Amino acid sequence: MRRMNMQESDFRRALEIITRNNRITVSFNTPIADNYSHVYPILIHESNASVLKRLHEAGYSLSMTPKGLCVMKY
């Protein structure tokens, strides 16, 4: 399994984009398989299309997981 991590500056930039909208539900550092050594840094559970578009335009990868939409920057 690939280790999910993100540079601190990329994490902060994603938060800036996400927190501009108050109609979004997210969780942070969610365990992938009930093990905190492998986590999803940011999971989006509910959002509108404009937030997803801004994240994509900023170079973030969005992928659907069983627990939500994972936001990563590689």
Side-chain angles (χ1 to χ4, degrees):
M1 183 180 302
R2 183 185 171 112
R3 183 169 173 80
M4 302 289 230
N5 57 15
M6 194 180 336
Q7 297 291 325
E8 186 176 331
S9 59
D10 293 329
F11 185 86
R12 281 194 310 258
R13 177 67 184 128
L15 286 180
E16 289 174 13
I17 294 169
I18 290 168
T19 57
R20 288 185 184 153
N21 188 305
N22 61 357
R23 298 201 176 200
I24 188 168
T25 305
V26 298
S27 60
F28 303 100
N29 298 320
T30 304
I32 292 174
D34 299 325
N35 182 342
Y36 278 95
S37 66
H38 293 56
V39 298
Y40 297 114
I42 301 172
L43 282 179
I44 296 176
H45 303 286
E46 290 183 38
S47 179
N48 61 36
S50 65
V51 172
L52 303 181
K53 180 180 177 190
R54 285 195 300 264
L55 286 167
H56 178 72
E57 289 172 348
Y60 290 87
S61 169
L62 306 173
S63 59
M64 197 64 213
T65 74
K67 295 185 178 188
L69 187 66
C70 179
V71 177
M72 291 296 300
K73 185 140 188 183
Y74 295 101

